[in-house]
């Protein structure tokens, strides 16, 4: 059913309502295999709603979502969702947090711990295997969440403002870390953020979502060579992209702010 | 939701209605079902009238009690008075002690462990002691009810005083406010929501203590009405008393909650 | 960066320490002052109804050598253990089951809260009518006194399980059973421990009140028996004993709660 040309995500005419509130859409979304797509937009515009529909955490009011050519019929084994850092489980050690997804899937203790140990190394937490999340900084907890996402060898990662609770410097470090991880496993990514800089640094394509009900008002391709680091942000094409996105969002955010307060 | 959901049940949004009825509607249904089944069970003849009477009779009789002058004066007003006195005493003492604890560290350190374990101690065991020392009048009941409710007021007010943001305390110091100004203009308003929560609980505890002590050993009062009816095998009056006490406690709690909520700046 | 942030978070997690005397000193000094005040005032009063601490301990000592009194202690402990165990198990399991459904929690909770605000002691005659005087009635009453708060705490705790953790579990396609075992149970453990501590005190109060109202043995019964015999020094001695018996398990449960919270508490 899937082939090299089937997009990893294809959402068609997706809409969402919460009671009387028209929250999202209709929107179309297409992500190729191995492509990194970000959605930026003012808060409350429905970005996370779209991600949760793709990840089978919400049912859409209408529209269809296909992943790897097959309609979504529940949480999918090869889709991994990365949430904010507080999604780590405080009663489990770093190692057991990383091994959590494998444990849920019934992988034996020895095998999942070996795999988890490897991943802890990759995200740079070696030596912290037996620490509890409360003993770690926010950035380190986010590394744990990323290692857990990698453990199931996903072909699609959905990231819902994963760095939203981190400070500016840590965000930049974590963004570079995520780039490295994605390059290693070569999966498609849908990345939700309200940081324009982050979106430009990470993505192949940035989608700009307008205020509620969210629809895409612009699509900005980012032509920067990979592998990237924060240095790429000072290139001209990067600054141009940031300005173009900001101009779009600014007017939307202003209207949204006035209608909310 | 028309189509089959793809979402695991435990993250689906809470439905606004089940079978066409909102949660509040179901609350009413549950209440009616419980009362009705009690009524039917009592009327079915499966249980002796000495053990259980229909709810409708409990209700009629407890309303009749309101027309009985002896009941109103000796039981209702007396218990209400005892509750009021104990509540006011525990409110004043409780907030005062909590303030002292927040201000003087040695008081805090000496008393905090006792506040923590107080409600594990069956304080009603002291009631017989107080009866011997003060007789069966109002004094031991007020003492015990005040003691029982004051600690919950202390515990909550203390949380309030201690959660005053440090920046506000610094502000007060920079304005060179006197301790009494700090208390009236900064500490009390800032701690108010927690104090109010403590007072609500305090009233509940005062009601429990007054009724329980009256019930165990007293000459009059609401609790004693139930006790006497039980000992006289007067099942009708016993259930009427229980219904009356329950409604009384519920109304008192709701009234105070509503009254105090209007002072709570966190709810505005 | 890593090593430093780890050190910092360790410091944040450690308990605050006061300079100077150890934490147990001020509360002990306070206790000592109270005992001295008691001794002095009783020797000044020189009254038959106000014995001092020495007399209280003396009579407690002689009580403890009476087999009838020891039987009462054992009776109370046995009934307490059974009703407490039942209240914890049934209250927490039922509370967790209701808490898993936000809709039905919303429908049922107002009724349970209303029921819980009734001074339960006035319901005790109903227990006596249906279960007779004895272990069954006082045990059931103690159970009811403890189970409602336990139930309410667990419903709230289960409803408060982190939404983010639920979504994370859903994204892994976890079954409901797996969710309960791996997410819900660990999340509610701190509340379970707090509930167990609270439930112990309430069950004990319920049991003692029941024994005081009507019983043929048990610590509450002994208290009232001594009251009718006007043996105040025995009452005081027994109050001390009850205090100690209540305090030991409470302190143990407090330690348990502290340990569990340190590991399982979700800090958002």
């Amino acid at each position: 059913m899937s082939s090299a040309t089937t997009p990893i995500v294809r959402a068609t005419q997706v809409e969402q309502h919460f009671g009387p509130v028209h929250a999202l859409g209709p929107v179309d979304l297409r992500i190729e295999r191995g492509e990194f797509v970000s959605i930026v937009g003012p808060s409350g515009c429905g970005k996370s709603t779209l991600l949760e529909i793709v990840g089978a955490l919400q049912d859409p009011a209408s529209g269809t979502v296909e992943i790897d050519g097959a309609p979504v019929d529940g949480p999918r084994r090869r889709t991994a969702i990365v949430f904010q850092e507080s999604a780590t489980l405080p009663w489990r050690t770093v190692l057991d947090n990383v091994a959590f997804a494998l444990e849920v899937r019934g992988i034996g203790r020895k095998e999942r711990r070996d795999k988890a140990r490897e991943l802890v190394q990759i995200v740079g937490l070696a030596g912290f295997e037996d620490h509890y999340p409360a003993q770690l900084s926010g950035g380190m907890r986010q590394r744990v969440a990323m290692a857990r996402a990698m453990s199931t060898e996903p072909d699609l990662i959905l990231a819902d403002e994963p760095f939203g609770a981190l400070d500016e410097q840590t965000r930049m470090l974590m963004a570079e870390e995520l780039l490295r991880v994605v390059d290693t496993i070569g999966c498609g990514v849908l990345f939700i953020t309200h940081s324009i800089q982050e979106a430009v640094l990470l993505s192949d394509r940035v989608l700009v979502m307008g205020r509620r009900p969210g629809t895409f008002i612009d699509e900005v391709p980012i032509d920067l060579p990979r592998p990237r680091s924060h240095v790429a942000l000072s290139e001209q094409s990067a600054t141009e992209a940031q300005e173009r996105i900001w101009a779009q969002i600014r007017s939307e955010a202003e209207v949204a702010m006035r209608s909310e307060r | 939701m028309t189509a089959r959901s793809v979402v695991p049940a435990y993250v689906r949004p809470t439905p606004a209605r089940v079978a066409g009825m909102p949660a509040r509607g179901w609350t009413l249904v549950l209440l009616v079902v419980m009362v009705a089944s009690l009524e039917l069970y009592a009327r079915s003849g499966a249980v002796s009238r000495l053990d259980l009477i229909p709810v409708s009779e409990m209700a009629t009789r407890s309303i009749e009690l309101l027309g009985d002058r002896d009941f109103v004066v000796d039981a209702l007003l007396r218990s209400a008075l005892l509750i009021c006195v104990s509540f006011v005493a525990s409110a004043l003492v409780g907030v005062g002690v909590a303030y002292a604890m927040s201000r003087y560290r040695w008081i805090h350190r000496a008393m905090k462990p006792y506040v923590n374990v107080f409600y594990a101690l069956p304080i009603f065991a002291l009631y017989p002691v107080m009866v011997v020392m003060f007789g069966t009048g109002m004094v031991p009941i007020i003492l015990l009810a005040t003691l029982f409710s004051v600690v919950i007021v202390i515990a909550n007010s203390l949380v309030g005083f201690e959660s005053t943001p440090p920046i506000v305390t610094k502000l007060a110091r920079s304005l060179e406010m006197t301790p009494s100004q700090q208390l009236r203009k900064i500490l009390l308003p800032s701690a108010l929501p927690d104090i109010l929560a403590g007072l609500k609980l305090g009233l509940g505890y005062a009601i429990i203590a007054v009724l329980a002590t009256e019930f165990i050993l007293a000459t009059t009062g609401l609790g004693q009405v139930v006790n006497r009816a039980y000992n006289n095998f007067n099942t009708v009056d016993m259930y009427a008393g229980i219904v009356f006490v329950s409604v009384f406690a519920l109304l008192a709690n709701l009234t105070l909650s509503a009254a105090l909520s209007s002072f709570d700046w966190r709810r505005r | 960066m890593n090593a430093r942030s780890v050190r910092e978070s360790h410091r944040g997690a450690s308990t605050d320490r006061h300079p100077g005397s150890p934490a147990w000193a001020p509360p002990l000094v306070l206790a000592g002052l109270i005992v001295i005040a008691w001794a002095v005032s009783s020797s000044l009063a020189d009254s038959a109804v106000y014995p001092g601490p020495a007399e209280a301990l003396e009579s407690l000592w002689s009580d403890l050598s009476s087999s009838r009194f020891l039987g009462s202690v054992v009776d109370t402990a046995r009934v307490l253990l059974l009703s407490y165990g039942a209240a914890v198990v049934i209250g927490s399991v039922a509370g967790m089951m209701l808490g898993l459904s936000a809709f039905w929690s919303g429908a049922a909770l107002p009724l349970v809260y209303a029921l819980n605000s009734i001074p339960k002691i006035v319901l005790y005659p109903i227990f006596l009518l249906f279960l007779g005087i004895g272990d069954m009635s006082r045990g059931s009453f103690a159970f009811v006194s403890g189970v409602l708060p336990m139930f309410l705490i667990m419903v709230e705790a289960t409803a408060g399980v982190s939404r983010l953790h639920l979504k994370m579990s859903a994204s892994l396609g976890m079954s409901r059973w797996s969710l309960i075992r791996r997410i819900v149970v660990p999340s509610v453990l701190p509340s379970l421990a707090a509930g167990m501590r609270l439930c112990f005190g309430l069950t004990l109060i319920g049991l003692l009140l029941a024994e005081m109202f009507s019983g043929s043995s048990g610590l509450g019964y002994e208290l009232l028996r001594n009251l009718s015999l006007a043996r105040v020094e025995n009452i005081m001695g027994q109050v001390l004993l009850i205090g100690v018996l209540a305090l030991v398990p409470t302190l143990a449960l407090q330690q348990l709660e502290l340990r569990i919270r340190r590991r399982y508490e979700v800090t958002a």
Side-chain angles (χ1 to χ4, degrees):
Chain A
M1 74 189 166
S2 69
S3 73
T5 55
T6 320
I8 190 72
V9 175
R10 183 161 61 197
T12 320
Q13 293 294 299
V14 169
E15 267 189 273
Q16 184 65 299
H17 298 266
F18 298 120
V21 179
H22 188 187
L24 174 72
V27 292
D28 293 332
L29 172 70
R30 186 187 166 102
I31 302 176
E32 305 301 332
R33 336 184 122 264
E35 189 187 20
F36 199 121
V37 175
S38 289
I39 302 179
V40 294
S43 40
C45 71
K47 324 183 274 284
S48 295
T49 303
L50 179 58
L51 177 135
E52 292 197 353
I53 290 172
V54 173
L57 295 181
Q58 280 186 30
D59 293 299
S62 63
T64 57
V65 180
E66 282 177 12
I67 296 185
D68 202 14
V72 171
D73 63 350
R76 179 174 168 272
R77 293 183 80 89
R78 294 198 66 197
T79 301
I81 309 188
V82 183
F83 301 93
Q84 289 200 348
E85 37 100 7
S86 45
T88 49
L89 304 174
W91 54 86
R92 285 174 168 251
T93 62
V94 166
L95 197 67
D96 287 337
N97 259 295
V98 174
F100 185 67
L102 297 172
E103 181 188 322
V104 169
R105 300 210 170 147
I107 309 288
R109 183 180 160 85
K110 167 107 177 58
E111 194 183 332
R112 65 173 190 251
R113 297 198 118 213
D114 287 346
K115 179 92 183 259
R117 212 164 261 125
E118 217 173 281
L119 289 164
V120 166
Q121 291 263 344
I122 291 178
V123 298
L125 287 177
F128 290 97
E129 285 87 348
D130 296 326
H131 283 61
Y132 286 93
Q135 302 170 305
L136 305 180
S137 66
M140 289 162 86
R141 282 200 287 271
Q142 190 56 58
R143 284 168 205 265
V144 174
M146 270 166 29
R148 179 176 58 216
M150 289 163 72
S151 69
T152 51
E153 292 167 6
D155 56 12
L156 173 64
I157 286 183
L158 307 175
D160 188 6
E161 304 201 24
F163 311 141
L166 304 179
D167 63 69
E168 195 60 38
Q169 289 83 1
T170 316
R171 282 179 88 118
M172 197 55 92
L173 287 172
M174 294 308 297
E176 290 185 359
E177 186 77 34
L178 179 64
L179 271 182
R180 210 162 58 75
V181 165
V182 170
D183 285 345
T184 323
I185 55 179
C187 57
V189 181
L190 175 60
F191 189 86
I192 307 291
T193 179
H194 45 240
S195 160
I196 298 170
Q197 215 182 30
E198 212 165 75
V200 170
L201 171 64
L202 292 168
S203 315
D204 298 309
R205 202 149 48 91
V206 177
L207 296 167
V208 182
M209 192 173 264
R211 63 177 192 279
R212 206 168 62 202
T215 48
F216 293 126
I217 53 175
D218 197 9
E219 175 175 342
V220 184
I222 311 292
D223 294 314
L224 293 170
R226 290 190 186 270
R228 297 175 191 168
S229 75
H230 68 278
V231 183
L233 279 175
S234 47
E235 284 186 28
Q236 199 188 351
S237 68
T239 50
E240 276 171 15
Q242 287 184 60
E243 269 161 32
R244 173 169 159 192
I245 297 168
W246 173 232
Q248 300 275 4
I249 287 184
R250 188 192 174 116
S251 54
E252 294 288 322
E254 275 174 351
V255 179
M257 218 162 80
R258 248 174 277 136
S259 62
E260 265 170 33
R261 294 282 149 183
Chain B
M1 231 159 281
T2 46
R4 198 177 61 88
S5 174
V6 301
V7 179
Y10 49 83
V11 286
R12 271 178 230 156
T14 309
R17 287 156 190 277
V18 168
M21 202 149 35
R24 281 287 164 272
W26 279 108
T27 309
L28 209 64
V29 169
L30 285 174
L31 183 65
V32 169
V33 166
M34 285 192 315
V35 172
S37 44
L38 213 56
E39 174 90 17
L40 286 179
Y41 178 58
R43 287 187 183 280
S44 69
V47 60
S48 152
R49 268 192 62 87
L50 280 177
D51 287 343
L52 186 67
I53 59 166
V55 183
S56 51
E57 276 182 48
M58 299 181 197
T60 0
R61 180 64 188 137
S62 59
I63 292 171
E64 276 174 26
L65 284 178
L66 269 180
D68 180 344
R69 200 182 157 280
D70 284 349
F71 173 81
V72 172
V73 175
D74 283 349
L76 179 59
L77 287 183
R78 193 185 131 106
S79 293
L81 176 71
L82 289 175
I83 291 168
C84 283
V85 172
S86 328
F87 172 66
V88 170
S90 68
L92 293 176
V93 175
V95 175
V97 169
Y99 174 65
M101 284 174 75
S102 72
R103 215 165 152 213
Y104 303 103
R105 211 174 63 197
W106 60 270
I107 298 186
H108 186 281
R109 293 174 63 192
M111 291 191 64
K112 192 70 197 294
Y114 295 106
V115 172
N116 285 344
V117 299
F118 183 80
Y119 286 105
L121 298 173
I123 205 67
F124 288 97
L126 280 178
Y127 184 55
V129 181
M130 293 178 176
V131 169
V132 175
M133 286 163 63
F134 304 103
T136 47
M138 291 189 170
V139 180
I141 297 180
I142 291 176
L143 276 180
L144 193 97
T146 307
L147 186 63
F148 190 61
S149 55
V150 76
V151 179
I152 195 78
V153 179
I154 296 179
N156 277 271
S157 310
L158 190 61
V159 169
F161 285 130
E162 287 183 340
S163 60
T164 306
I167 186 76
V168 177
T169 324
K170 276 184 199 156
L171 173 74
R173 216 173 298 144
S174 77
L175 293 172
E176 295 182 342
M177 293 172 107
T178 64
S180 112
Q181 278 178 321
Q182 279 191 34
L183 175 65
R184 278 181 295 118
K185 299 213 154 64
I186 306 273
L187 279 173
L188 273 181
S190 160
L192 195 62
D194 289 305
I195 294 178
L196 295 180
L199 293 185
K200 277 180 218 169
L201 289 167
L203 178 70
Y205 281 53
I207 293 176
I208 290 174
V210 167
L211 289 172
T213 46
E214 286 178 347
F215 179 78
I216 297 288
L217 188 69
T219 45
T220 47
L222 277 179
Q224 193 53 35
V225 169
V226 179
N227 178 326
R228 205 183 310 130
Y230 166 76
N231 281 321
N232 296 340
F233 305 101
N234 187 344
T235 315
V236 178
D237 272 10
M238 185 193 94
Y239 277 108
I242 292 174
V243 167
F244 195 93
V245 166
S246 307
V247 173
F248 173 80
L250 218 56
L251 284 183
N253 280 322
L254 289 177
T255 313
L256 188 77
S257 285
L260 293 186
S261 292
S262 60
F263 291 107
D264 190 340
W265 48 261
R266 268 183 219 164
R267 287 166 193 263
R268 278 184 201 149
Chain C
M1 151 215 148
N2 289 354
R4 205 194 67 220
S5 51
V6 167
R7 248 198 332 273
E8 273 169 6
S9 59
H10 270 306
R11 204 187 310 143
S14 73
T15 49
D16 53 336
R17 286 182 177 281
H18 298 288
S21 56
W24 47 262
L28 275 190
V29 169
L30 180 61
L33 286 177
I34 290 173
V35 171
I36 291 171
W38 175 13
V40 169
S41 61
S42 81
S43 70
L44 285 180
D46 194 24
S47 147
V49 298
Y50 188 26
E55 292 154 272
L57 282 178
E58 227 170 87
S59 55
L60 174 63
W61 188 248
S62 65
D63 272 341
L64 282 175
S65 56
S66 115
S67 64
R68 200 186 53 85
F69 182 76
L70 280 181
S72 275
V73 176
V74 172
D75 266 359
T76 296
R78 182 171 45 84
V79 176
L80 175 67
L81 219 61
L82 284 175
S83 42
Y84 174 62
V88 167
V89 172
I90 294 176
S92 55
V93 172
M96 208 159 84
M97 274 161 48
L98 182 64
L100 287 171
S101 161
F103 183 86
W104 291 110
S105 299
L109 276 193
L111 292 180
V112 188
Y113 271 112
L115 199 62
N116 193 42
S117 74
I118 296 173
K120 288 176 215 70
I121 183 65
V122 298
L123 303 179
Y124 184 53
I126 305 179
F127 287 76
L128 288 173
L129 286 182
F130 281 86
L131 300 170
I133 293 179
D135 285 2
M136 241 351 242
S137 55
R138 63 193 163 119
S140 308
F141 180 73
F143 165 78
V144 168
S145 308
V147 76
L148 283 181
M150 189 78 223
F151 176 80
L152 288 169
I153 288 173
M154 287 302 279
V155 175
E156 302 279 1
T158 310
V161 170
S162 156
R163 180 104 190 117
L164 207 53
H165 290 166
L166 292 183
K167 282 185 188 174
M168 195 264 286
S169 311
S171 77
L172 296 173
M174 268 164 78
S175 67
R176 188 172 273 267
W177 173 238
S178 177
L179 178 86
I180 291 175
R181 200 161 67 88
R182 293 198 168 89
I183 302 288
V184 177
V185 170
S187 299
V188 301
L189 272 186
S191 301
L192 178 69
M196 278 171 69
R197 177 170 57 80
L198 212 76
C199 178
F200 179 79
L202 293 168
T203 313
L204 179 55
I205 287 187
L207 182 60
L208 285 177
L209 281 177
E211 288 177 349
M212 280 160 92
F213 181 72
S214 90
S216 44
S217 88
L219 283 169
Y221 164 76
E222 295 291 334
L223 282 177
L224 272 220
R225 203 178 75 93
N226 284 319
L227 176 61
S228 53
L229 299 174
R231 295 200 305 210
V232 199
E233 61 282 0
N234 295 63
I235 300 180
M236 288 209 166
Q238 288 168 17
V239 169
L240 288 178
L241 177 72
I242 291 172
V244 172
L245 288 183
L247 218 50
V248 172
T250 300
L251 292 177
L253 287 168
Q254 224 171 36
Q255 279 306 312
L256 177 77
E257 184 188 345
L258 213 64
R259 279 173 164 231
I260 289 180
R261 269 178 48 188
R262 226 174 264 151
R263 182 160 157 202
Y264 286 86
E265 198 145 66
V266 178
T267 42

